[in-house]
Amino acid sequence: MQPVDFTTLTATCSELRANWLPSRTEQVYQRDRYTIAIALRTLKQRDWLQISWHPQAAHICIGDPPPRSPDTFTFSQQLIHQLGGLALVGIEAIAPWERVIDLQFARRPGESALYHVYAEIMGKYSNVILTDANNIIITAAHQVSQQQSSVRPIQTGQPYETPPKLTGTVPSLSESQERWQERVSLVPGAIKRQLLKSYSGLSAALLDLMLLEANIAPETSTDTLNPDDWRRLFERWQEWLQALDSKKFQPAWTKDGYTVMGWGVVEKVKNIQELLNHYYSNQIDQQLFSQLRHQLSQKLNNILVKLRNKAQTFKTRLQQSDQADEYRQKADLLMAHLQNWEPGMKEIILADFDTNLPVAIALLPDKNAVQNAQSLYKQHQKLKRARAAVEPLLLEVQTEIEYLEQVEAAIAQIDTYKTSEDLRALEEIREELIGQKYLEDPEYRSRSANEPPSTNFHRYLTPSGFEVLIGRNNRQNDQLTFRVAGDYDIWFHAQEIPGSHLLLRLEPGAVAEEADLQFVANLAAYYSRARQSEQVPIVYTQPKHVYKPKGAKPGIAIYKQESILWGKPQIVISH
């Protein structure tokens, strides 16, 4: 992930100053552990200033409006309590070349600041700190105790101290090429590394693009650069410093990230706010997606291993109870041939009633024939009782396994991150598992109570142009089958295989062709656990013939009056 460097921070603050000073503070919302959003209003516009102190993605920019779910973080409540109704009157760097921004809040423009919000955009040391006019800390996103840092503790009630000053040489527009070249090449080494060592205020991403623009490989040694190389590189160096000086930047996407310098451009962007918001939202979502998918997969796998072991134990006990009749038959045989028993016998061989084949019956030598028969009858009764007790337990475990395999299949389908909708689909699965008591997460604040289920279903069009909707998780499957489905639609699902619910949407009087039904059957096969098979049996019926058993878990449905088609998952190209 590309961190916000001094150049990017200067560029975004320059744009914020031009468009958002002065502005009124209307609201503060904390999105997550690392991000706050401040609602600002000017005479022309209203939007959300986003400040993040995420260790890998700290940034400041105009971002998306926050979700409607309640904010339960205390940091944001403290901020709105102090800043509500005040004007944002200043956005200043605390010192040249520093990555700390002082957001100043006053009663009205022209008055001195009553409060300061210091946004420290410094990688893993990033923080957001609120102070009063005398720079006494009121609250901080991340408090740092004396034990954690004797150099710079950050605690409520203490004076705010700026981060340690930069010790390296700072770049200057007035420095000559000779002096600059001499400084960089004093000790021979890779040009990129030497520039980073020689000057403050640079980042690896900025230098990669600067060197690309100068047509010099980053690993090129300083003692192999010719005068023309040095000249081209110094021109780019000056171009960079002039952009910082004039505050004129060119935001754009690059092959590996973004730039505000117009170097290595793949696609230009309207403004820096849009660029940063899109890049960091996407990167953080991608990171969260990978972590959440791994967490859910691991958890499900562990639960399923235990449940399958449990089911196997029950099956073994049922197999044993299958011998119940055998014990009764042996007891009956023994009772019918009491005269054949002799004291001290450990085994008796008698002819079977039906087959006349010899049956060996083990005996307890210290008991007589009747007592041995009674013992066999008791064993018969015990095994019969075991079957009655075990069968419902096995059914319960198998139902639970089926449900979790359905969840597992949904996670398997959401295999790569493409948009924020993929993360949302996974979050809904997490909400569902928390609701079903499979997951506990004290830090997780459920959104399900306040947000309706999402409708970001997969969507396709059949050859005749009919829409197909596909659930991405159990919550969406329920929504699709029992809320969205209309009287004329057709419902599809893989037969007795975990997978998505699908709806073929039809208007009154519309008739789906054979090709449409086959198209949806192929999709149903693709969005099931049997995706790798050549053919998958797919059931389809009208939604009115699909029911949810009483007390069933999300995504579970039973159906009747179904027809069957064979779906071919291999011919589906995922969109």
Side-chain angles (χ1 to χ4, degrees):
M1 203 184 300
Q2 185 175 327
V4 163
D5 58 13
F6 174 74
T7 309
T8 305
L9 195 56
T10 304
T12 188
C13 288
S14 167
E15 215 173 69
L16 287 169
R17 261 184 232 109
N19 297 314
W20 293 96
L21 288 186
S23 56
R24 178 82 46 206
T25 309
E26 291 193 334
Q27 209 177 331
V28 178
Y29 182 96
Q30 186 158 349
R31 290 175 181 275
D32 51 48
R33 288 166 57 201
Y34 299 112
T35 317
I36 55 159
I38 302 173
L40 298 177
R41 184 184 289 281
T42 67
L43 294 172
K44 295 179 184 172
Q45 58 190 342
R46 181 185 192 270
D47 225 322
W48 293 83
L49 175 65
Q50 187 164 288
I51 309 172
S52 169
W53 56 98
H54 189 287
Q56 285 97 43
H59 63 279
I60 177 169
C61 68
I62 296 296
D64 300 319
R68 294 213 173 125
S69 51
D71 170 5
T72 57
F73 289 96
T74 54
F75 181 55
S76 48
Q77 289 168 6
Q78 290 171 308
L79 285 177
I80 194 60
H81 180 68
Q82 307 294 344
L83 307 178
L86 295 182
L88 174 62
V89 296
I91 301 173
E92 304 295 335
I94 59 161
W97 297 97
E98 287 286 1
R99 284 185 293 160
V100 180
I101 302 302
D102 174 11
L103 302 166
Q104 300 164 7
F105 295 85
R107 279 202 185 86
R108 57 184 64 83
E111 291 190 10
S112 55
L114 292 174
Y115 296 99
H116 299 263
V117 171
Y118 291 100
E120 301 183 346
I121 310 297
M122 305 187 304
K124 64 178 180 180
Y125 300 109
S126 298
N127 208 341
V128 175
I129 299 153
L130 172 70
T131 77
D132 63 14
N134 300 318
N135 260 350
I136 300 299
I137 297 172
I138 297 169
T139 185
H142 177 58
Q143 300 229 11
V144 181
S145 66
Q146 195 79 40
Q147 287 75 29
Q148 289 168 301
S149 172
S150 55
V151 179
R152 188 172 174 255
I154 297 166
Q155 290 187 295
T156 306
Q158 298 298 310
Y160 172 73
E161 289 180 27
T162 57
K165 292 203 165 28
L166 295 169
T167 51
T169 306
V170 293
S172 165
L173 255 175
S174 59
E175 187 176 33
S176 68
Q177 182 182 333
E178 291 73 30
R179 181 75 192 92
W180 169 81
Q181 188 174 325
E182 185 186 309
R183 192 189 299 279
V184 176
S185 58
L186 189 63
V187 178
I191 181 65
K192 179 181 170 183
R193 194 169 67 247
Q194 292 310 112
L195 281 164
L196 280 170
K197 281 167 71 176
S198 307
Y199 289 95
S200 296
L202 295 164
S203 70
L206 176 79
L207 284 177
D208 281 337
L209 290 172
M210 189 185 284
L211 289 160
L212 175 76
E213 206 68 10
N215 201 22
I216 298 167
E219 295 309 310
T220 309
S221 178
T222 49
D223 53 10
T224 63
L225 292 174
N226 63 41
D228 202 37
D229 292 332
W230 283 110
R231 179 189 56 75
R232 284 198 316 278
L233 185 54
F234 187 67
E235 281 171 6
R236 299 288 81 77
W237 180 265
Q238 291 270 304
E239 194 180 312
W240 166 57
L241 292 174
Q242 278 158 2
L244 287 173
D245 192 51
S246 65
K247 306 290 188 285
K248 287 183 180 158
F249 298 95
Q250 299 170 59
W253 295 111
T254 62
K255 186 166 66 74
D256 301 314
Y258 66 84
T259 180
V260 294
M261 287 300 303
W263 294 335
V265 173
V266 171
E267 186 190 339
K268 288 188 176 178
V269 181
K270 218 169 28 179
N271 61 56
I272 294 159
Q273 311 307 316
E274 195 181 292
L275 181 82
L276 297 188
N277 181 43
H278 188 278
Y279 179 79
Y280 288 105
S281 300
N282 212 38
Q283 290 289 320
I284 291 169
D285 279 358
Q286 211 162 337
Q287 197 180 73
L288 288 172
F289 176 88
S290 301
Q291 289 167 351
L292 184 54
R293 193 172 186 279
H294 178 72
Q295 177 202 353
L296 294 177
S297 300
Q298 286 284 97
K299 183 71 179 173
L300 276 184
N301 187 48
N302 293 344
I303 297 170
L304 279 167
V305 165
K306 287 177 186 168
L307 287 173
R308 285 175 186 136
N309 288 340
K310 207 171 177 182
Q312 193 50 54
T313 306
F314 290 149
K315 283 174 185 168
T316 306
R317 282 170 65 183
L318 283 181
Q319 281 165 359
Q320 289 168 349
S321 72
D322 286 343
Q323 299 165 7
D325 289 342
E326 200 181 303
Y327 282 102
R328 184 176 52 75
Q329 285 162 358
K330 285 180 177 178
D332 289 348
L333 266 181
L334 194 53
M335 288 299 287
H337 298 88
L338 289 175
Q339 70 280 10
N340 294 12
W341 176 81
E342 291 175 12
M345 268 187 156
K346 291 187 177 176
E347 186 181 64
I348 189 167
I349 295 172
L350 300 168
D352 184 77
F353 291 129
D354 301 323
T355 63
N356 222 29
L357 293 171
V359 176
I361 303 170
L363 300 173
L364 296 165
D366 57 339
K367 290 186 176 177
N368 64 28
V370 173
Q371 287 169 327
N372 268 296
Q374 285 172 338
S375 181
L376 290 166
Y377 281 130
K378 273 185 186 169
Q379 194 66 23
H380 161 71
Q381 287 299 330
K382 186 180 172 186
L383 289 174
K384 265 181 67 178
R385 283 196 305 275
R387 171 171 283 282
V390 169
E391 274 179 339
L393 292 174
L394 177 60
L395 182 65
E396 195 180 307
V397 170
Q398 282 173 330
T399 305
E400 201 172 349
I401 288 171
E402 278 170 29
Y403 163 68
L404 290 172
E405 282 178 343
Q406 177 84 6
V407 178
E408 195 177 45
I411 294 169
Q413 304 292 353
I414 314 167
D415 52 353
T416 52
Y417 178 88
K418 294 188 184 80
T419 70
S420 58
E421 299 292 4
D422 298 317
L423 175 62
R424 182 71 188 115
L426 272 189
E427 285 177 335
E428 285 182 346
I429 292 174
R430 174 173 59 181
E431 285 167 12
E432 180 187 330
L433 290 174
I434 289 171
Q436 295 297 321
K437 306 287 189 285
Y438 287 107
L439 267 187
E440 282 180 26
D441 189 348
E443 285 190 353
Y444 178 64
R445 300 171 302 134
S446 175
R447 301 190 291 196
S448 53
N450 302 288
E451 280 191 27
S454 68
T455 52
N456 59 323
F457 311 118
H458 290 302
R459 292 166 194 268
Y460 288 82
L461 288 177
T462 70
S464 303
F466 298 123
E467 187 179 36
V468 183
L469 302 181
I470 305 171
R472 295 161 66 101
N473 53 47
N474 281 334
R475 200 171 168 208
Q476 288 192 15
N477 288 337
D478 279 356
Q479 175 84 347
L480 203 60
T481 303
F482 303 113
R483 299 274 174 82
V484 175
D487 294 343
Y488 304 98
D489 298 340
I490 304 176
W491 182 88
F492 287 73
H493 195 283
Q495 187 179 38
E496 295 180 11
I497 296 167
S500 295
H501 295 201
L502 290 82
L503 268 192
L504 172 58
R505 311 302 311 269
L506 298 174
E507 296 293 324
V511 178
E513 301 290 334
E514 198 63 43
D516 298 313
L517 297 176
Q518 188 60 54
F519 178 84
V520 186
N522 294 344
L523 284 173
Y526 182 80
Y527 285 101
S528 79
R529 198 174 189 173
R531 182 182 279 190
Q532 304 308 322
S533 307
E534 277 190 30
Q535 289 198 106
V536 182
I538 303 298
V539 297
Y540 65 97
T541 187
Q542 290 176 285
K544 68 180 180 184
H545 298 315
V546 184
Y547 309 91
K548 190 163 195 66
K550 194 176 177 186
K553 292 182 184 294
I556 300 296
I558 51 174
Y559 47 83
K560 62 182 185 180
Q561 295 190 28
E562 74 277 9
S563 302
I564 293 183
L565 268 176
W566 287 91
K568 299 180 177 65
Q570 305 302 334
I571 63 175
V572 173
I573 299 165
S574 178
H575 65 173

